[in-house]
Amino acid sequence: MSKFCLQCDDGTKLKLQTKDVTVEARGESCVVPKVTGWHCPVCGDIEYTDNDSSDRVWNAIEAMGEKAKARDAALLAHARKRLKLTQKQAAELTGGGHNAFSRYERGEAVPMRAVVNLFKILDKHPELIKELS
Ligand SMILES: [Zn+2]
């Protein structure tokens, strides 16, 4: 029996196999061992054949999301303090409401990538804060 990749949608054949899969989410990655299913050799999409494999991959994706959230929260708190900004001032700089930053730093809300990227740049080049108002 042949199955074709619905993501590639160009006749790429899926392979029924059990293999280690690298899961990436929001800049974090990890390996989930022994994932069984129909694997696409081109795009990596998986059509699962059992709940255990799909559950383990999904749990890994969720864990990566949590890890990324904790990483972003720590980065924002670190950079904001280094820039000597209050949470309110930081929120005024990035939008998202007056308590957005305290929510980001507590991990209660996920900041836009642009917010994280801005504070990554400001953390490396704090003098650039003068360019913003
Ligand atoms: Zn594919």
Side-chain angles (χ1 to χ4, degrees):
M1 146 174 177
S2 290
K3 273 183 176 276
F4 301 96
C5 181
L6 297 173
Q7 297 301 319
C8 291
D9 197 25
D10 62 358
T12 301
K13 272 190 186 175
L14 299 178
K15 284 183 190 160
L16 183 59
Q17 58 188 163
T18 297
K19 65 175 199 172
D20 297 353
V21 168
T22 300
V23 171
E24 291 176 35
R26 295 181 56 207
E28 297 286 341
S29 71
C30 74
V31 174
V32 181
K34 296 183 178 150
V35 176
T36 300
W38 292 87
H39 296 259
C40 175
V42 177
C43 72
D45 202 50
I46 306 162
E47 227 179 273
Y48 298 102
T49 52
D50 67 288
N51 286 334
D52 175 60
S53 287
S54 68
D55 285 352
R56 286 186 297 113
V57 170
W58 180 246
N59 289 340
I61 291 169
E62 281 195 322
M64 292 303 96
E66 287 302 312
K67 204 171 156 188
K69 197 154 72 173
R71 177 201 65 204
D72 289 348
L75 175 121
L76 289 179
H78 168 83
R80 177 182 63 74
K81 286 170 193 166
R82 192 177 136 121
L83 294 161
K84 297 182 172 48
L85 296 173
T86 64
Q87 288 182 333
K88 190 164 175 272
Q89 288 169 325
E92 279 165 10
L93 208 58
T94 55
H98 66 281
N99 65 354
F101 243 77
S102 72
R103 287 168 50 78
Y104 299 154
E105 290 182 13
R106 289 199 307 264
E108 290 174 8
V110 176
M112 303 236 311
R113 298 283 351 133
V115 171
V116 175
N117 286 333
L118 174 67
F119 275 79
K120 265 187 195 166
I121 291 170
L122 289 175
D123 192 42
K124 288 210 174 98
H125 305 282
E127 74 282 1
L128 291 178
I129 191 89
K130 293 195 299 275
E131 306 292 329
L132 307 168
S133 57

